[in-house]
Amino acid sequence: MASSVENEVKRPEGSDTVSSPSVQSLQGNTTIWQRIYSIIAYTPKRCRYNPDKPFEFSMPLNLLFGFAGAFTVANLYYSHPILNKLADDFHVNQERVSLIPTLAQAGYGAGLLFLCPLGDLFQRRPFVLLLVWFTATSWIGLCITNSFPVFCFLSFLTALTTVTPQLMLPLVGDLAPAHRRATALSIVVSGLLLGILIARVLSGVVTEYTSWRNVYWLAFALQYLIFILLWFFLPDYPSTNPNGLNYFKMLWSIVTMLFKHPVLMQACLVGFCTSTTFTSYWTTLTFLLAGEPYNFSPLYIGLFALIGIFAMCFGPPYSRLVIDRFVPLFSTIIGEFICIAGISIGTYTGTFTIAGPIIQAFMIDLGLQTSQIANRTAIYAIEPKARNRVNTAFMVSVFIGQIVGTSVGNTLYAQGGWHKSGSASVGFIGAALCFCFARGPWEKGWVGWRGGWGIRRRDLGPEEKGQQQEQDAEIAGNSTNNEESGEEKMTDEMAAEAIESGEPKGSQGEKS
């Protein structure tokens, strides 16, 4: 199968041999796995890549990516509100049942590190579809098994391949025009955050009135629905490295990129600090609301997650009006200030008024979303041929931050309660702001504000500047429909990268 994928990746761009796996499967003796792969790898004609007429990244496709991201990442969180039910059904204690979310997070982390970089090598369409199909098919075991060890193993395995949203985000960076990239990313990121929240609510409500297995059967159906929708509508896109890469060198390049690009290191440090506060809040909130003076039931505690949905509605319009027009660091700083304000209010008022945690939930989700979208916009502007590895570096730092936030939050809550764990979150956001202010938006080095304080984007190529003006006119009521081609967009991105690094335009052309 690996060799089949490799052959699919090295197919010449724009060729009409997309359906060749299906044709080959009809010739000679083929195994069932080869037939399955030939079906998965087949590309409908309307989705095939054509360099002369690039695929237009439309709003329906953007929404499909957001939907797929939401109900794919939700797989990691269905078990959280129903661990007590799982413990009773599998006849294990609460300490052992906690292995389920722990192994799921471990599997997701392994997938981020070892599978996501392959998006820079393989074509995203067959790779994404293969992972979604494998996750959906393996999920059947979670629905029917009565063995706790098997359930734990499958939780790890399905989480390992639940990284498809992190392959879609760099693909959005490739497909969406640069002047609308933040808006497109915000819709997918909003979907990811929505999936985290809705999984807890859906799981708690369904289990409250039926069996926990119905939650997993619903998730199974959603996975196959996502697979079918992506099979019909996910566009093909050529590999960014069609000549192949050494896998281990590719992994090592993630580390080297951190020390090569200061903006990536800055985004990773800010993402780490901000993500700690998110998981710290949601893991300690249960203890606060279940105890005095609130004494809420698990159902009401689960419904708290709905607060975040309102915050997510602000992401796309804010990205269109602000992040797409101003430097990403400006929005990152705004997001961090929103977070620290919400955490401060919730931490120091939450023990005597429910309004505190409600405000904190809203502002943490809003600030985290704003910061993440801005950071992704910044880092996707570097190394267009390595966007999956850039995304891996950022997401691994966010993932580690989530683990640290859970550990630190629970430990400090046990020692000093709600105030102590919340104060640590204030400190983490303070550190994130220090990293933001340590390096300006136009600084080429690691520290400083050389290049000016201006927040209006000036790192776009001439073509994209014209499109930026068109976007401003469209906001004012003058609609435009101009879209640049995929090849022109890649050229402009590389030109913008050359401008930012101070290289002569000619030398950049020679490199490309």
Side-chain angles (χ1 to χ4, degrees):
M1 186 177 296
S3 61
S4 299
V5 174
E6 210 169 308
N7 290 334
E8 181 71 16
V9 170
K10 294 182 179 180
R11 188 181 67 233
E13 296 182 9
S15 70
D16 290 331
T17 59
V18 181
S19 59
S20 59
S22 297
V23 176
Q24 291 174 3
S25 67
L26 301 176
Q27 300 173 354
N29 297 324
T30 57
T31 66
I32 183 65
W33 299 111
Q34 289 173 324
R35 289 180 179 271
I36 290 173
Y37 176 75
S38 69
I39 295 172
I40 295 173
Y42 177 78
T43 304
K45 188 174 182 179
R46 66 177 176 277
C47 296
R48 297 177 189 176
Y49 178 74
N50 183 352
D52 298 324
K53 189 179 180 182
F55 199 92
E56 181 178 346
F57 190 69
S58 62
M59 180 57 70
L61 181 63
N62 205 168
L63 293 174
L64 173 60
F65 278 28
F67 173 81
F71 288 100
T72 301
V73 79
N75 293 343
L76 303 172
Y77 299 96
Y78 289 121
S79 66
H80 288 200
I82 59 172
L83 289 176
N84 58 330
K85 300 290 186 181
L86 294 172
D88 293 340
D89 209 22
F90 286 113
H91 307 292
V92 296
N93 57 33
Q94 291 186 353
E95 183 178 359
R96 284 202 69 196
V97 81
S98 65
L99 283 173
I100 294 172
T102 301
L103 287 171
Q105 290 296 325
Y108 186 68
L112 284 175
L113 186 58
F114 298 111
L115 291 182
C116 283
L118 292 173
D120 287 334
L121 178 60
F122 298 153
Q123 285 181 283
R124 257 70 61 87
R125 178 186 161 89
F127 190 39
V128 166
L129 289 174
L130 189 64
L131 291 177
V132 173
W133 174 82
F134 181 86
T135 303
T137 305
S138 302
W139 196 265
I140 298 174
L142 291 172
C143 299
I144 64 177
T145 185
N146 292 314
S147 169
F148 182 71
V150 172
F151 194 92
C152 288
F153 170 75
L154 290 175
S155 295
F156 175 86
L157 186 64
T158 53
L160 180 72
T161 54
T162 304
V163 293
T164 46
Q166 301 304 328
L167 294 167
M168 293 180 192
L169 282 164
L171 182 57
V172 171
D174 288 333
L175 293 173
H179 70 288
R180 292 182 181 172
R181 185 174 296 147
T183 305
L185 288 172
S186 70
I187 292 174
V188 183
V189 171
S190 295
L192 296 181
L193 296 176
L194 177 64
I196 295 173
L197 300 179
I198 204 171
R200 293 186 172 113
V201 176
L202 191 63
S203 182
V205 172
V206 172
T207 305
E208 181 78 12
Y209 300 105
T210 63
S211 167
W212 67 265
R213 291 190 185 271
N214 291 334
V215 177
Y216 279 77
W217 280 115
L218 177 61
F220 165 75
L222 286 169
Q223 291 307 295
Y224 262 99
L225 174 61
I226 290 170
F227 173 77
I228 293 169
L229 290 173
L230 291 178
W231 193 90
F232 278 107
F233 299 108
L234 181 63
D236 191 22
Y237 196 81
S239 169
T240 53
N241 296 277
N243 294 325
L245 293 170
N246 181 282
Y247 178 69
F248 297 103
K249 289 182 179 179
M250 187 166 56
L251 293 180
W252 177 247
S253 69
I254 298 172
V255 179
T256 60
M257 280 192 294
L258 281 170
F259 295 95
K260 178 182 178 183
H261 301 289
V263 66
L264 178 58
M265 178 67 80
Q266 184 183 37
C268 289
L269 292 173
V270 172
F272 168 84
C273 293
T274 310
S275 62
T276 59
T277 64
F278 181 81
T279 52
S280 176
Y281 171 77
W282 286 107
T283 54
T284 57
L285 179 68
T286 301
F287 304 131
L288 174 71
L289 298 182
E292 295 293 341
Y294 304 114
N295 299 311
F296 287 170
S297 69
L299 179 60
Y300 285 110
I301 295 173
L303 292 175
F304 234 75
L306 293 175
I307 299 169
I309 295 176
F310 298 102
M312 291 168 197
C313 296
F314 288 91
Y318 177 86
S319 299
R320 183 171 180 80
L321 295 173
V322 180
I323 303 180
D324 275 333
R325 305 171 71 185
F326 300 100
V327 292
L329 182 62
F330 175 65
S331 292
T332 301
I333 293 172
I334 289 177
E336 298 305 318
F337 273 118
I338 293 173
C339 282
I340 201 168
I343 293 169
S344 299
I345 293 171
T347 296
Y348 303 115
T349 67
T351 54
F352 58 84
T353 174
I354 194 64
I358 290 175
I359 293 172
Q360 183 173 351
F362 177 81
M363 297 186 74
I364 278 183
D365 288 334
L366 179 60
L368 176 69
Q369 181 181 219
T370 302
S371 177
Q372 274 211 9
I373 295 168
N375 277 324
R376 288 182 187 277
T377 303
I379 63 177
Y380 285 172
I382 62 174
E383 302 212 22
K385 292 186 177 182
R387 282 197 176 120
N388 285 275
R389 282 168 285 166
V390 169
N391 186 67
T392 296
F394 179 71
M395 280 309 302
V396 167
S397 67
V398 169
F399 179 76
I400 295 173
Q402 291 176 349
I403 295 174
V404 171
T406 301
S407 176
V408 171
N410 287 333
T411 301
L412 292 180
Y413 190 93
Q415 294 176 358
W418 180 253
H419 285 169
K420 193 166 185 178
S421 63
S423 297
S425 294
V426 172
F428 276 116
I429 297 298
L433 284 169
C434 289
F435 291 129
C436 288
F437 286 113
R439 183 179 178 276
W442 307 110
E443 173 61 53
K444 299 298 188 297
W446 291 93
V447 179
W449 282 73
R450 289 180 292 271
W453 295 67
I455 60 172
R456 174 72 68 170
R457 290 184 67 180
R458 60 174 187 256
D459 59 331
L460 299 175
E463 176 80 10
E464 290 165 342
K465 283 183 179 178
Q467 290 170 329
Q468 179 69 35
Q469 293 171 356
E470 291 173 1
Q471 181 189 9
D472 294 342
E474 183 179 352
I475 294 172
N478 300 322
S479 176
T480 59
N481 294 315
N482 293 334
E483 298 288 345
E484 63 180 347
S485 70
E487 291 183 353
E488 290 171 341
K489 181 174 57 177
M490 181 69 76
T491 303
D492 289 340
E493 287 170 356
M494 297 181 71
E497 185 181 354
I499 293 170
E500 187 174 354
S501 61
E503 296 179 6
K505 187 173 180 179
S507 63
Q508 184 69 16
E510 291 172 5
K511 288 183 182 179
S512 60

